[in-house]
């Protein structure tokens, strides 16, 4: 009987070790989406507002990336190089987020495109008089 108990404990221990090895999520960290906050923006002519962007993987974890933006007609889009990410849960490392400042120039609707890690995201901007 002792032999059966010892073998059962040994098999249970080996099964536990085997189950805890490897990456249970099998996450490769592949960029899947650019998240923009906000995705739609209303700004007055001459006023400015910020848009925070980040790249996330298939599990929603933020990834470090180099962000660029192309501006649409009637707006000016510049990267805010003084921006540092705020404390979030979980904390976001520097390089995982960027902020672009959108300044209204001409009344109307337009978009600008953010690109990073081979992905792109359009942000809709309405400029009011």
């Amino acid at each position: 009987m002792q032999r059966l108990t010892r073998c059962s404990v040994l098999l249970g221990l080996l099964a536990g070790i085997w189950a805890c090895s490897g990456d249970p999520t099998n996450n490769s960290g592949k960029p899947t989406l650019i998240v923009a906050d906000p995705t739609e923006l209303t700004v007055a002519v001459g006023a400015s507002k910020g848009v925070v962007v980040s790249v996330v993987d298939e599990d929603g974890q933020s990834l470090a990336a180099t962000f660029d933006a192309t501006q649409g007609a009637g707006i000016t889009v510049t990267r805010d190089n003084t921006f540092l990410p705020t404390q979030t849960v979980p904390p976001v490392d520097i390089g995982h987020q960027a902020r672009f400042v959108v300044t209204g120039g001409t009344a109307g609707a337009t978009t600008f495109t953010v690109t990073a890690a081979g992905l792109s995201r359009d942000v809709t901007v309405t400029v009011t008089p």
Side-chain angles (χ1 to χ4, degrees):
M1 187 68 172
Q2 278 185 323
R3 187 175 201 199
L4 181 61
T5 304
R6 284 187 217 148
C7 287
S8 297
V9 169
L10 181 61
L11 285 175
L13 181 63
L14 291 174
I17 291 171
W18 178 74
C20 292
S21 66
D23 182 8
T25 63
N26 197 20
N27 183 351
S28 62
K30 178 182 176 188
T32 57
L33 176 68
I34 294 178
V35 177
D37 183 29
T39 57
E40 295 182 7
L41 187 66
T42 302
V43 63
V45 172
S48 298
K49 289 189 179 178
V51 176
V52 177
V53 294
S54 61
V55 174
V56 295
D57 65 9
E58 57 270 9
D59 288 337
Q61 300 295 316
S62 68
L63 302 172
T66 302
F67 298 93
D68 291 309
T70 56
Q71 57 193 31
I75 59 173
T76 302
V77 180
T78 56
R79 182 169 178 159
D80 182 357
N81 292 323
T82 63
F83 172 73
L84 292 176
T86 57
Q87 184 70 19
T88 61
V89 178
V92 176
D93 295 330
I94 294 174
H96 287 228
Q97 288 182 325
R99 179 170 51 197
F100 290 95
V101 178
V102 180
T103 305
T106 306
T110 188
T111 61
F112 73 94
T113 304
V114 177
T115 57
L119 303 169
S120 65
R121 174 76 184 243
D122 289 337
V123 177
T124 304
V125 180
T126 303
V127 181
T128 59

